[in-house]
Amino acid sequence: MTASELNDATPLDAQDCPEDNYSPDSPCFGKAAGRPRAADKEARREALLATAGRLFLAKGYSKVSLEMIAREAHVAVRTIYVQFGGKAGLLNAIVANGRQHHMAGMASMVSDPRPMAEILHDFALRFLTLVSLPAFHHLHRMVVAEANSTPELAETFFQAGPQLTRAELGRFFARPDIQAQLRDGLRPEMLPVFLINCLMGDYMTRLLFPGDEPLRGEALRRQAAEGLDLFLHAVRR
């Protein structure tokens, strides 16, 4: 989820009316229900997610209603329920989309034949690039600020982001060829968390302060290399 992706949605015209939006008070009422192409459906979905993401970051998760999102995105509230199940489902899709976008192009860690250090270095650069995005900073601050009053926000964020990353790393470290390179006695569930902590350091704490600059360029590459070196020295045979 980049800042450029959080742009305004394009209003739907008559021929773009959602198939499930034919109530008497809808501008689509009375229009012939056609079958939109897959590309059109995906474009509408992305536009809806972009609108929801922009509103969440601008106003806060708890202050944004489905009605507000629907009005801005020019869709019916029922459309949101059908596609995402509600506000938490929207947030889940926004976070998951952002993660997928920045990990795209990376070979599956479960089957990548490269040496362990190369695979993890690729992951480290992509991961730190993702968490250095301004949109991620705003999202992280929002989650921390509202987690106590809105538990579903923290739970949804964790499931769509950190939990997926830990699961992917867990499958990687479970590979027999990777396990053979690691010290005996290491708990498998500890390795993903330890790697992320080595890469991040105190970065997440510093993100709470608006004046801190995000990692970029050489500073990002240096933190990725130093964090990975610390991790490998601790876990390799």
Side-chain angles (χ1 to χ4, degrees):
M1 178 180 58
T2 65
S4 62
E5 290 170 335
L6 300 180
N7 50 14
D8 293 326
T10 302
L12 300 177
D13 59 28
Q15 66 181 5
D16 289 329
C17 290
E19 293 179 74
D20 61 348
N21 189 11
Y22 290 92
S23 62
D25 58 347
S26 166
C28 295
F29 184 68
K31 302 293 182 182
R35 285 285 181 183
R37 295 179 304 170
D40 294 335
K41 285 186 176 181
E42 183 60 23
R44 294 176 203 167
R45 180 181 184 275
E46 293 300 316
L48 175 56
L49 292 178
T51 298
R54 174 175 54 80
L55 289 172
F56 287 151
L57 296 185
K59 300 178 181 295
Y61 181 82
S62 61
K63 294 182 179 179
V64 175
S65 66
L66 288 182
E67 290 75 14
M68 188 184 302
I69 295 170
R71 184 169 59 252
E72 289 281 328
H74 302 276
V75 300
V77 171
R78 182 171 179 269
T79 299
I80 300 176
Y81 277 114
V82 169
Q83 293 188 20
F84 301 101
K87 196 161 70 167
L90 272 173
L91 180 65
N92 184 297
I94 291 167
V95 176
N97 269 19
R99 182 185 179 279
Q100 183 179 13
H101 175 75
H102 282 83
M103 294 299 178
M106 181 177 178
S108 170
M109 298 182 76
V110 176
S111 57
D112 194 331
R114 292 180 296 168
M116 176 172 66
E118 288 187 24
I119 298 172
L120 291 179
H121 183 258
D122 191 359
F123 167 82
L125 287 175
R126 292 171 184 270
F127 175 75
L128 287 179
T129 299
L130 172 61
V131 301
S132 296
L133 294 172
F136 179 86
H137 294 191
H138 294 312
L139 176 62
H140 176 65
R141 293 184 186 119
M142 181 183 74
V143 172
V144 172
E146 299 186 40
N148 188 51
S149 59
T150 315
E152 76 171 37
L153 170 60
E155 182 65 24
T156 300
F157 172 77
F158 178 76
Q159 290 177 353
Q163 190 171 59
L164 286 180
T165 299
R166 292 182 186 186
E168 183 179 20
L169 288 172
R171 290 189 291 270
F172 171 73
F173 290 122
R175 285 172 41 174
D177 61 317
I178 299 300
Q179 286 187 334
Q181 302 176 56
L182 304 176
R183 292 194 296 107
D184 294 331
L186 295 175
R187 290 185 292 112
E189 67 273 15
M190 178 198 73
L191 294 172
V193 177
F194 182 46
L195 172 60
I196 292 171
N197 286 343
C198 287
L199 295 176
M200 295 291 289
D202 68 341
Y203 188 52
M204 295 302 287
T205 300
R206 289 187 283 112
L207 285 184
L208 297 176
F209 301 94
D212 261 39
E213 289 293 320
L215 289 170
R216 292 192 182 91
E218 184 56 36
L220 188 149
R221 289 188 289 271
R222 182 172 61 250
Q223 180 152 329
E226 291 175 351
L228 181 57
D229 185 62
L230 174 64
F231 174 80
L232 292 175
H233 271 78
V235 303
R236 275 202 295 208
R237 290 183 183 276

